[in-house]
Amino acid sequence: MPNIMIREQNGVLTGYIAKKDLEAEITSLEFTEPDNWGGKMTLSNGASFYFEPLSAAPTLPITIRMRRG
C-alpha cells in the first residue's frame, strides 16, 4: 500500500509516489464533490489506486495511504 501525495499544479491534479519516484497526472477520481472526495483514482500511466472517500475535499497537497485498485 503506497503513500501517494496529491497536489494541484496549474489546475491539474497530480499524484507522486516516492517509492517509485513517479509523478503522473490524475486522469480520473471517482468522487469530487465537496462533501464526498476520493474513491478510485487513475493516473495517466494507467495505474489505479483506491482510498476511502473523505467526508470533505482536502486542502492540497495531501499524502494518503492507498491500495492498488
Side-chain angles (χ1 to χ4, degrees):
M1 294 205 300
N3 286 327
I4 299 178
M5 180 175 55
I6 300 173
R7 63 183 172 183
E8 187 174 0
Q9 295 177 309
N10 302 322
V12 176
L13 288 178
T14 59
Y16 176 72
I17 305 170
K19 271 191 165 180
K20 295 186 177 192
D21 193 28
L22 169 72
E23 185 167 16
E25 183 178 331
I26 297 172
T27 56
S28 71
L29 189 58
E30 186 175 11
F31 302 109
T32 57
E33 294 83 29
D35 61 342
N36 189 25
W37 193 89
K40 185 175 180 180
M41 178 183 81
T42 305
L43 300 177
S44 61
N45 69 352
S48 64
F49 299 92
Y50 178 82
F51 64 100
E52 288 296 322
L54 304 174
S55 60
T59 302
L60 300 175
I62 186 172
T63 300
I64 300 175
R65 189 162 189 88
M66 299 188 180
R67 61 184 160 123
R68 292 213 170 260

